[in-house]
Amino acid sequence: MTVAINAWPALVLNADFRPLSYFPLSLWSWHDTIKAVVTNRVNVVSVYDQEIRSPSFSLHLPSVISLKNYIMAQRRPAFTRFNVFLRDRFACQYCGAALPAHELTFDHLIPRSRGGRTTWQNVVAACAPCNLRKGGRLAHAAGMTPKRAPVQPTAHQLQESGRQFPPNFLHESWRDFLYWDAELDPL
Ligand SMILES: [Zn+2]
Protein backbone atom coordinates (compact mmCIF):
# COMPACT_ATOMS: atom_id res chain seq x y z
CA MET A 1 0.00 0.00 0.00
CA THR A 2 1.29 3.47 -0.78
CA VAL A 3 0.46 6.50 1.34
CA ALA A 4 1.26 10.02 0.16
CA ILE A 5 4.03 11.54 2.24
CA ASN A 6 1.99 14.68 2.99
CA ALA A 7 -1.16 12.83 3.97
CA TRP A 8 -1.97 11.90 7.56
CA PRO A 9 0.25 14.37 9.41
CA ALA A 10 0.58 13.95 13.17
CA LEU A 11 0.18 16.82 15.60
CA VAL A 12 3.30 16.87 17.77
CA LEU A 13 2.86 17.68 21.46
CA ASN A 14 5.64 18.45 23.87
CA ALA A 15 6.05 16.21 26.90
CA ASP A 16 3.62 18.50 28.74
CA PHE A 17 0.93 17.67 26.14
CA ARG A 18 0.82 21.16 24.70
CA PRO A 19 1.58 21.61 21.01
CA LEU A 20 5.32 21.92 20.41
CA SER A 21 4.55 25.09 18.46
CA TYR A 22 1.49 26.85 17.08
CA PHE A 23 3.11 28.84 14.29
CA PRO A 24 3.97 26.97 12.35
CA LEU A 25 1.74 24.31 13.85
CA SER A 26 3.99 21.41 14.83
CA LEU A 27 3.12 18.64 12.38
CA TRP A 28 5.23 15.70 11.28
CA SER A 29 4.74 13.58 8.19
CA TRP A 30 3.45 10.09 8.87
CA HIS A 31 6.85 8.85 7.77
CA ASP A 32 8.80 10.83 10.39
CA THR A 33 6.13 9.97 12.93
CA ILE A 34 6.45 6.22 12.38
CA LYS A 35 10.22 6.50 12.66
CA ALA A 36 9.86 8.30 16.01
CA VAL A 37 7.38 5.67 17.23
CA VAL A 38 9.61 2.79 16.22
CA THR A 39 12.66 4.38 17.89
CA ASN A 40 10.57 4.94 21.02
CA ARG A 41 10.98 8.72 21.17
CA VAL A 42 7.26 9.51 21.30
CA ASN A 43 4.00 8.26 22.77
CA VAL A 44 1.03 7.75 20.47
CA VAL A 45 -1.88 9.75 21.88
CA SER A 46 -4.43 9.29 19.10
CA VAL A 47 -4.59 7.50 15.73
CA TYR A 48 -6.24 7.78 12.32
CA ASP A 49 -8.35 4.94 10.91
CA GLN A 50 -5.72 4.62 8.18
CA GLU A 51 -3.36 1.68 8.68
CA ILE A 52 -0.03 0.78 7.19
CA ARG A 53 0.87 -2.88 6.83
CA SER A 54 4.03 -4.78 6.18
CA PRO A 55 4.50 -8.58 6.30
CA SER A 56 5.63 -8.31 9.92
CA PHE A 57 3.34 -5.67 11.41
CA SER A 58 0.40 -3.34 10.94
CA LEU A 59 -0.07 0.00 12.57
CA HIS A 60 -2.67 2.74 12.64
CA LEU A 61 -1.09 6.02 11.56
CA PRO A 62 -0.78 8.32 14.60
CA SER A 63 -2.75 11.59 14.44
CA VAL A 64 -1.40 12.96 17.74
CA ILE A 65 1.91 12.09 19.38
CA SER A 66 3.73 13.45 22.41
CA LEU A 67 7.48 13.67 22.92
CA LYS A 68 8.92 11.58 25.73
CA ASN A 69 11.45 14.28 26.60
CA TYR A 70 10.42 17.87 27.16
CA ILE A 71 11.88 20.38 24.69
CA MET A 72 12.40 23.97 25.83
CA ALA A 73 10.61 26.50 23.65
CA GLN A 74 12.75 28.33 21.15
CA ARG A 75 13.78 31.62 22.74
CA ARG A 76 13.98 33.82 19.67
CA PRO A 77 11.12 33.53 17.22
CA ALA A 78 11.98 33.65 13.52
CA PHE A 79 11.61 37.03 11.84
CA THR A 80 9.04 36.03 9.25
CA ARG A 81 6.15 37.79 7.54
CA PHE A 82 3.67 35.65 9.40
CA ASN A 83 5.26 36.27 12.80
CA VAL A 84 5.21 40.04 12.25
CA PHE A 85 1.49 39.81 11.49
CA LEU A 86 1.01 37.58 14.49
CA ARG A 87 2.86 40.04 16.77
CA ASP A 88 0.65 42.83 15.42
CA ARG A 89 -2.42 40.59 15.75
CA PHE A 90 -3.31 40.90 12.08
CA ALA A 91 -4.23 44.56 12.54
CA CYS A 92 -2.99 47.69 10.78
CA GLN A 93 -0.79 49.42 13.36
CA TYR A 94 -1.89 52.88 12.16
CA CYS A 95 -5.68 52.72 11.89
CA GLY A 96 -6.25 49.50 13.87
CA ALA A 97 -8.19 47.69 11.12
CA ALA A 98 -8.05 43.90 11.58
CA LEU A 99 -7.56 42.16 8.25
CA PRO A 100 -6.73 38.76 6.77
CA ALA A 101 -3.02 38.28 6.05
CA HIS A 102 -3.38 38.70 2.29
CA GLU A 103 -4.85 42.18 2.79
CA LEU A 104 -2.05 43.37 5.07
CA THR A 105 1.22 44.92 3.98
CA PHE A 106 4.43 45.81 5.79
CA ASP A 107 5.42 49.35 6.54
CA HIS A 108 8.94 50.45 7.40
CA LEU A 109 8.78 53.19 10.08
CA ILE A 110 12.03 54.54 8.67
CA PRO A 111 11.59 53.89 4.94
CA ARG A 112 14.15 51.72 3.23
CA SER A 113 14.88 54.64 0.90
CA ARG A 114 16.16 56.48 4.00
CA GLY A 115 18.26 53.63 5.26
CA GLY A 116 15.57 51.94 7.36
CA ARG A 117 16.24 48.28 7.95
CA THR A 118 13.90 45.33 7.80
CA THR A 119 13.88 44.39 11.48
CA TRP A 120 11.35 43.69 14.22
CA GLN A 121 11.84 47.28 15.46
CA ASN A 122 11.30 48.96 12.09
CA VAL A 123 8.52 46.93 10.46
CA VAL A 124 4.83 46.93 11.32
CA ALA A 125 1.68 45.49 9.75
CA ALA A 126 -0.28 48.12 7.83
CA CYS A 127 -3.34 48.17 5.62
CA ALA A 128 -2.74 49.24 2.02
CA PRO A 129 -4.46 52.67 2.36
CA CYS A 130 -2.36 53.61 5.42
CA ASN A 131 0.81 52.34 3.76
CA LEU A 132 0.02 54.47 0.71
CA ARG A 133 -0.86 57.51 2.81
CA LYS A 134 2.43 57.33 4.68
CA GLY A 135 4.41 56.81 1.51
CA GLY A 136 8.14 57.44 1.77
CA ARG A 137 7.85 59.66 4.85
CA LEU A 138 9.10 58.91 8.33
CA ALA A 139 6.26 57.68 10.55
CA HIS A 140 6.33 60.71 12.88
CA ALA A 141 6.69 63.16 9.98
CA ALA A 142 3.53 61.69 8.48
CA GLY A 143 1.78 62.09 11.84
CA MET A 144 1.30 58.34 11.94
CA THR A 145 2.41 56.56 15.08
CA PRO A 146 2.07 52.79 15.45
CA LYS A 147 -0.50 51.74 18.04
CA ARG A 148 2.17 49.69 19.77
CA ALA A 149 5.89 50.30 19.54
CA PRO A 150 7.29 47.44 17.46
CA VAL A 151 9.64 45.19 19.39
CA GLN A 152 10.99 41.70 18.97
CA PRO A 153 8.39 39.44 20.59
CA THR A 154 9.30 36.51 22.77
CA ALA A 155 8.31 33.03 21.67
CA HIS A 156 5.84 33.04 24.55
CA GLN A 157 4.15 36.23 23.35
CA LEU A 158 3.76 34.81 19.84
CA GLN A 159 2.44 31.58 21.28
CA GLU A 160 -0.17 33.53 23.27
CA SER A 161 -1.12 35.54 20.21
CA GLY A 162 -1.27 32.38 18.11
CA ARG A 163 -3.98 30.87 20.24
CA GLN A 164 -6.34 33.55 19.02
CA PHE A 165 -5.68 32.67 15.40
CA PRO A 166 -6.11 28.90 15.06
CA PRO A 167 -5.10 27.28 11.79
CA ASN A 168 -7.87 26.79 9.25
CA PHE A 169 -7.58 23.08 8.99
CA LEU A 170 -7.70 20.88 12.06
CA HIS A 171 -8.06 17.15 12.26
CA GLU A 172 -10.72 16.56 14.87
CA SER A 173 -8.35 14.58 17.09
CA TRP A 174 -6.12 17.68 17.33
CA ARG A 175 -8.74 20.08 18.56
CA ASP A 176 -8.63 19.18 22.20
CA PHE A 177 -4.91 19.70 22.35
CA LEU A 178 -5.10 23.04 20.63
CA TYR A 179 -7.89 24.33 22.82
CA TRP A 180 -7.61 22.70 26.18
CA ASP A 181 -4.82 25.01 27.18
CA ALA A 182 -6.59 28.10 25.85
CA GLU A 183 -7.83 30.49 28.49
CA LEU A 184 -11.47 30.03 29.38
CA ASP A 185 -13.80 32.93 28.77
CA PRO A 186 -15.52 34.03 31.96
CA LEU A 187 -19.21 33.23 31.79
ZN1 LIG B 1 -4.63 51.25 8.27
Side-chain angles (χ1 to χ4, degrees):
M1 184 195 65
T2 54
V3 180
I5 196 82
N6 296 330
W8 318 106
L11 173 67
V12 185
L13 307 177
N14 212 334
D16 64 355
F17 290 89
R18 302 172 112 187
L20 198 53
S21 78
Y22 284 85
F23 290 98
L25 187 60
S26 43
L27 299 176
W28 286 356
S29 70
W30 69 266
H31 202 245
D32 288 342
T33 302
I34 295 294
K35 263 194 284 186
V37 170
V38 170
T39 55
N40 209 25
R41 290 185 290 128
V42 297
N43 299 306
V44 176
V45 178
S46 182
V47 296
Y48 291 112
D49 290 336
Q50 180 78 27
E51 276 182 278
I52 52 164
R53 287 198 187 83
S54 79
S56 55
F57 75 101
S58 79
L59 188 68
H60 282 279
L61 292 176
S63 60
V64 181
I65 54 174
S66 67
L67 302 180
K68 293 201 170 176
N69 295 310
Y70 186 80
I71 291 182
M72 294 294 283
Q74 229 184 320
R75 300 260 166 218
R76 287 156 55 101
F79 181 58
T80 61
R81 299 165 65 87
F82 194 89
N83 282 348
V84 170
F85 287 160
L86 198 55
R87 178 198 65 184
D88 294 345
R89 307 201 167 206
F90 293 88
C92 171
Q93 290 303 291
Y94 297 119
C95 69
L99 296 164
H102 67 271
E103 290 179 31
L104 282 172
T105 66
F106 295 106
D107 183 66
H108 287 70
L109 298 183
I110 303 170
R112 269 181 295 188
S113 59
R114 300 187 183 211
R117 294 172 54 216
T118 304
T119 60
W120 284 113
Q121 293 78 15
N122 195 45
V123 170
V124 293
C127 69
C130 284
N131 203 330
L132 203 65
R133 193 152 57 85
K134 178 169 165 293
R137 294 176 292 173
L138 298 174
H140 68 267
M144 299 168 75
T145 318
K147 303 241 172 232
R148 297 196 306 178
V151 294
Q152 176 176 304
T154 64
H156 181 73
Q157 286 167 334
L158 282 192
Q159 188 96 336
E160 290 300 312
S161 188
R163 285 178 197 162
Q164 299 176 22
F165 302 99
N168 293 329
F169 170 79
L170 300 173
H171 184 261
E172 58 183 32
S173 71
W174 301 349
R175 289 180 191 273
D176 290 340
F177 297 97
L178 293 172
Y179 294 118
W180 273 358
D181 65 339
E183 280 189 40
L184 292 174
D185 290 322
L187 291 170

